[in-house]
Amino acid sequence: SPLPDFQDVGIELKVAPMKKTSKGFVSKERLILGLINYNDVPKRHFRIFLDKDSRILIVFYFWQKDRDVRDFRFLKVVDWRPSSDELRIFREDWEVIEGYIMRGEAHLLSERHTRYLAACTKGVGHGRDMRTQPFSTKLAKQRALSFKASFMTELYRNHADIGEILVDDATDDTTSILQGGWSLEETFEEHVVR
């Protein structure tokens, strides 16, 4: 969908795996934002990014090889909005991506052309994910907008956990539902209502 998951409040929801290294937690992979419809680019331009991804609730979790997904632990939840510097770099990155599309060269796009916001290949490959593009008869690989793994690591390290923010901002006896845990027998809804 070209709109955020929670349209009424303009928030997209994403999960991001982190792995532990000697340097601390780093992003395991890029964060996929959504498929690029090359034919929408001439009409919507940078709005493609802004309309869906200008505010993202990112749930970071600790990924461990050979662990059951139910055993993964949340590390932090970040209510992210781009800083002015990030937004400037995203716009520069978008202009590179859009430039290829507008010149009819979407088939030449590569992640190496940008810093934070990338146009990564998406799909099964082997020529089965080819898409039409405006301004050219050549088919281009299906691509998605994504945040590069290096940016995700930076985002993880430089943004506070929403639980910490909510606790720090509390002026009454309320607490965040993100604090503490709940038993395996209790559903999320039961925990929230409690």
Side-chain angles (χ1 to χ4, degrees):
S1 165
L3 297 173
D5 295 322
F6 302 103
Q7 294 176 28
D8 292 343
V9 290
I11 298 176
E12 179 75 356
L13 177 63
K14 296 289 184 185
V15 295
M18 303 296 288
K19 60 185 179 181
K20 195 165 194 168
T21 69
S22 60
K23 296 179 182 179
F25 285 107
V26 297
S27 181
K28 179 180 173 285
E29 59 198 30
R30 67 177 72 88
L31 181 72
I32 302 296
L33 301 174
L35 292 177
I36 301 170
N37 180 338
Y38 299 125
N39 295 302
D40 280 352
V41 171
K43 296 174 265 185
R44 296 190 54 226
H45 304 284
F46 193 52
R47 298 279 350 148
I48 290 172
F49 172 78
L50 292 176
D51 290 346
K52 183 177 175 88
D53 301 307
S54 59
R55 185 174 180 193
I56 306 174
L57 190 66
I58 306 171
V59 179
F60 290 95
Y61 66 92
F62 181 17
W63 175 87
Q64 292 174 287
K65 186 177 181 179
D66 300 324
R67 287 291 286 280
D68 187 286
V69 69
R70 294 171 292 192
D71 293 331
F72 291 165
R73 298 289 176 245
F74 294 133
L75 297 170
K76 110 176 9 179
V77 178
V78 171
D79 182 3
W80 176 83
R81 295 175 199 187
S83 68
S84 58
D85 285 339
E86 290 169 338
L87 192 57
R88 178 184 50 76
I89 293 168
F90 291 140
R91 190 176 293 277
E92 290 169 3
D93 287 346
W94 173 259
E95 288 171 0
V96 170
I97 295 166
E98 183 175 7
Y100 275 86
I101 296 166
M102 298 300 282
R103 290 189 305 270
E105 298 177 338
H107 56 285
L108 300 177
L109 273 169
S110 171
E111 288 186 74
R112 73 176 182 272
H113 296 140
T114 56
R115 290 177 54 192
Y116 291 170
L117 188 65
C120 66
T121 56
K122 189 75 174 146
V124 295
H126 309 290
R128 292 185 286 186
D129 300 301
M130 304 303 283
R131 299 290 178 256
T132 61
Q133 61 173 313
F135 316 116
S136 176
T137 57
K138 284 191 176 184
L139 294 178
K141 288 182 183 175
Q142 177 173 270
R143 290 187 176 270
L145 281 181
S146 65
F147 288 157
K148 292 187 174 187
S150 58
F151 175 72
M152 291 303 296
T153 298
E154 184 180 312
L155 197 153
Y156 175 81
R157 292 180 178 164
N158 296 329
H159 289 77
D161 187 301
I162 191 172
E164 294 169 13
I165 296 168
L166 293 173
V167 172
D168 291 346
D169 288 347
T171 56
D172 54 18
D173 292 334
T174 61
T175 58
S176 167
I177 62 169
L178 300 175
Q179 284 185 323
W182 51 85
S183 70
L184 292 175
E185 294 79 34
E186 185 179 39
T187 68
F188 178 77
E189 291 81 6
E190 290 168 339
H191 179 75
V192 171
V193 172
R194 168 168 63 86

